[in-house]
């Protein structure tokens, strides 16, 4: 990956030395490479050239407006799962006719907003939701374009918390009831049934689960067509994994060939919802070593980033590669170290027994593959400020989300009226 490489002894993002950004914005911070975003999108889009495919970036992976805008300029649509994400996609320049609204818990207000915006389709995930969408659409005097999300009961070889295609998961309509549900939806005048959708999980490292799931989807679509029901579009979700720790995930070309092989004969439009694949490798989290601590059995490098900034290691036990920003000598000895943050949780650990070159207080570290499910999942736990986000391009960098102030943090809260009245009364007494 040439976008993040050592140059003159310092790790750079494209041609920008990361210490220069650290001096300007402080640490920790997220840094994204626009060139890497473009390369990943184009590799995916080119793989599907010749197929009637719409690529809708999954905003849940990274919803920064600059990131979404960079992908939208290249032709990406958006897969959203809330009204907030829908508003972000539109604000970033994604045309409404290239937006798909997924998720099991859409409220009537969110459904109304989506229909008012004129998006491509709403993926409905239960017969109850079918009825809710139809009721909202009838009230608005419009027809709602919908696709029925199917749960194919396929086990994807991924972390249990990001698997979505098994029958025990909360997502989609099970295959045994899919035909009945599709017929029900097609019979409602307020709905314009577009087709079928599915998404079996995230960080999938083999084509085999996709092959099984797409095969089941193809059989269902063929049965529905044979019954005279319209199936115009197939939304295949996302899930293609990336390499965090030496994995060898499928390439987009192989994935695209599988889609053509299993679904091409149906003559349907295809929607794809990549998220992690497009942005995961395009981002770094840069953090500074606060101090080193020698315990009884471990050496700790305490850094200024924490689990509230990047939750994946604490949440999933996820591995992220960590490298010094200052290039180590080739002969530098490696020793195990625990890379930990300042939050008052033992889970606030980025790496255990990670072999790294000698570190000193003040050193910068880069946590790699942080472009997906990083800043978008951040919180202000322990009253820590959200970290800034930076985009680099052609030797320049720009802050695309500034670090808030402590006044911003405190200003979110309000004391109840009775406390203000009590304080006013106390001041009167004291006067």
């Amino acid at each position: 990956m040439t976008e993040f490489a050592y140059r003159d002894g310092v790790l750079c993002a494209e041609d920008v030395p990361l210490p220069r950004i650290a001096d300007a914005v402080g640490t920790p911070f997220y840094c994204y490479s626009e060139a890497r975003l473009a390369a990943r999108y184009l590799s995916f889009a080119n793989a599907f050239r010749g197929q009637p495919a719409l690529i809708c970036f999954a905003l849940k992976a990274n919803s920064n407006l600059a990131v979404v805008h960079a992908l939208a300029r290249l032709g990406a649509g958006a897969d959203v799962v809330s009204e907030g994400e829908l508003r972000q996609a539109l604000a970033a320049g994604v045309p409404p006719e290239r937006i798909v609204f997924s998720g099991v818990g859409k409220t009537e207000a969110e459904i109304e907003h989506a229909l008012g915006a004129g998006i491509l389709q709403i993926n409905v995930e239960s017969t109850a939701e079918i009825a809710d969408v139809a009721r909202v659409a009838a009230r608005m005097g419009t027809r709602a374009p919908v696709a029925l999300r199917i749960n194919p009961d396929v086990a994807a070889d991924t972390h249990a918390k990001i698997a979505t295609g098994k029958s025990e998961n909360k997502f989609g309509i099970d295959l045994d009831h899919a035909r009945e549900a599709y017929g029900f939806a097609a019979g409602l005048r307020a709905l314009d049934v577009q087709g079928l959708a599915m998404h079996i999980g995230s960080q999938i490292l083999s084509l085999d689960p996709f092959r099984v799931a797409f095969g089941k989807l193809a059989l269902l679509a063929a049965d529905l067509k044979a019954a005279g029901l319209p199936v115009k579009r197939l939304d295949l979700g996302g899930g293609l994994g990336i390499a965090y720790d030496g994995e060898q995930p499928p390439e987009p070309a192989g994935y695209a060939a599988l889609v053509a092989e299993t679904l091409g004969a149906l003559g349907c439009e295809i929607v794809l919802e990549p998220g992690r694949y497009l942005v995961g490798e395009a981002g770094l989290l840069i953090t500074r070593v606060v101090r080193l601590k020698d315990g009884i059995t471990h050496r700790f490098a305490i850094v200024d980033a924490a689990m509230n900034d990047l939750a994946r290691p604490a949440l999933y036990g996820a591995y992220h590669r960590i490298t010094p920003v200052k290039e180590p000598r080739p002969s530098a000895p490696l020793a195990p170290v625990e890379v930990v943050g300042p939050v008052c949780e033992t889970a606030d650990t980025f790496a255990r027994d990670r072999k790294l070159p000698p570190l000193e207080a003040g050193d910068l570290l880069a946590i790699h593959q942080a472009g997906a499910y990083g800043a978008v999942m951040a919180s202000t736990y322990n009253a820590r400020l959200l970290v800034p986000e930076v985009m680099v391009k052609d030797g320049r960098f720009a802050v695309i989300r500034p670090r808030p102030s402590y006044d911003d943090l405190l200003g979110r809260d309000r004391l109840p009226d009775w406390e203000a009245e009590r304080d006013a009364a106390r001041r009167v007494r004291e006067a």
Side-chain angles (χ1 to χ4, degrees):
M1 189 192 307
T2 58
E3 291 84 8
F4 300 121
Y6 289 110
R7 296 185 176 89
D8 298 325
V10 172
L11 187 63
C12 295
E14 298 187 21
D15 292 322
V16 182
L18 288 165
R20 184 197 303 171
I21 304 176
D23 289 343
V25 305
T27 58
F29 66 90
Y30 278 96
C31 179
Y32 309 119
S33 163
E34 185 168 316
R36 190 61 178 168
L37 289 172
R40 296 294 276 186
Y41 177 81
L42 292 174
S43 72
F44 199 93
N46 290 338
F48 281 91
R49 185 176 295 167
Q51 296 192 54
L54 171 63
I55 299 170
C56 291
F57 169 59
L59 263 71
K60 59 181 174 286
N62 188 321
S63 60
N64 187 287
L65 294 190
V67 170
V68 181
H69 178 72
L71 294 170
R73 281 193 301 102
L74 296 170
D79 165 50
V80 304
V81 293
S82 70
E83 180 178 334
E85 285 190 353
L86 173 55
R87 289 177 180 270
Q88 287 175 317
L90 292 170
V94 181
E97 64 272 16
R98 299 177 74 85
I99 297 177
V100 172
F101 198 151
S102 305
V104 300
K106 309 176 202 71
T107 65
E108 288 200 4
E110 288 180 312
I111 294 166
E112 183 172 338
H113 188 81
L115 294 177
I119 69 170
L120 178 68
Q121 71 184 32
I122 297 174
N123 290 345
V124 292
E125 306 211 15
S126 65
T127 53
E129 188 180 5
I130 291 171
D132 287 345
V133 174
R135 183 171 58 255
V136 173
R139 185 173 68 232
M140 296 175 65
T142 189
R143 297 187 74 208
V146 300
L148 273 64
R149 178 172 175 177
I150 306 305
N151 187 317
D153 194 23
V154 171
D157 185 16
T158 188
H159 195 286
K161 292 183 180 179
I162 53 176
T164 61
K166 285 292 290 177
S167 58
E168 65 265 24
N169 298 135
K170 66 181 179 180
F171 302 97
I173 300 167
D174 63 275
L175 280 173
D176 290 342
H177 297 94
R179 293 166 181 80
E180 179 184 355
Y182 202 93
F184 169 61
L188 296 175
R189 286 183 294 178
L191 299 184
D192 182 10
V193 179
Q194 301 290 300
L196 298 166
M198 68 166 48
H199 174 64
I200 61 173
S202 184
Q203 186 54 13
I204 299 172
L205 299 173
S206 167
L207 290 178
D208 293 340
F210 293 119
R211 184 180 300 277
V212 175
F214 295 166
K216 291 184 177 184
L217 186 67
L219 289 174
L220 175 60
D223 286 350
L224 294 172
K225 284 191 167 195
L229 294 168
V231 183
K232 173 184 177 183
R233 186 177 301 126
L234 299 175
D235 183 339
L236 307 182
L240 203 60
I242 65 173
Y244 287 99
D245 187 20
E247 304 94 338
Q248 294 186 327
E251 292 295 328
Y255 181 65
L258 176 63
V259 171
E261 173 192 337
T262 54
L263 300 167
L266 291 167
C268 295
E269 299 172 11
I270 298 295
V271 174
L272 303 147
E273 299 170 356
R276 186 193 314 267
Y277 177 84
L278 299 184
V279 298
E281 294 184 0
L284 303 175
L285 174 60
I286 305 301
T287 184
R288 191 180 297 276
V289 177
V290 176
R291 64 182 56 90
L292 298 169
K293 174 185 174 181
D294 288 313
I296 299 299
T297 58
H298 296 283
R299 182 164 224 224
F300 298 91
I302 303 168
V303 300
D304 60 2
M307 61 185 284
N308 69 295
D309 304 313
L310 177 62
R312 296 189 70 255
L315 189 60
Y316 306 127
Y319 178 97
H320 285 263
R321 189 162 60 91
I322 300 175
T323 60
V325 169
K326 181 180 178 181
E327 186 173 18
R329 294 179 292 104
S331 60
L334 302 180
V337 64
E338 310 272 301
V339 182
V340 301
V343 159
C344 293
E345 302 270 359
T346 301
D348 185 21
T349 299
F350 293 113
R352 298 185 185 279
D353 292 326
R354 187 68 60 84
K355 290 187 176 181
L356 292 173
L359 299 174
E360 296 180 358
D363 285 350
L364 295 174
L365 296 177
I367 302 177
H368 294 252
Q369 301 97 21
Y373 305 103
V376 76
M377 295 177 71
S379 75
T380 57
Y381 184 47
N382 278 195
R384 288 170 49 83
L385 299 178
L386 295 175
V387 306
E389 297 171 65
V390 173
M391 182 83 81
V392 298
K393 181 181 181 182
D394 298 334
R396 303 168 60 192
F397 73 89
V399 176
I400 57 175
R401 182 174 294 167
R403 191 190 309 274
S405 68
Y406 283 109
D407 286 341
D408 294 330
L409 181 68
L410 295 172
R412 300 183 311 171
D413 298 342
R414 300 288 186 273
L415 292 177
D417 293 343
W418 56 84
E419 291 296 337
E421 293 165 1
R422 182 181 301 171
D423 289 346
R426 177 178 52 79
R427 287 193 294 271
V428 169
R429 289 195 303 270
E430 291 175 350

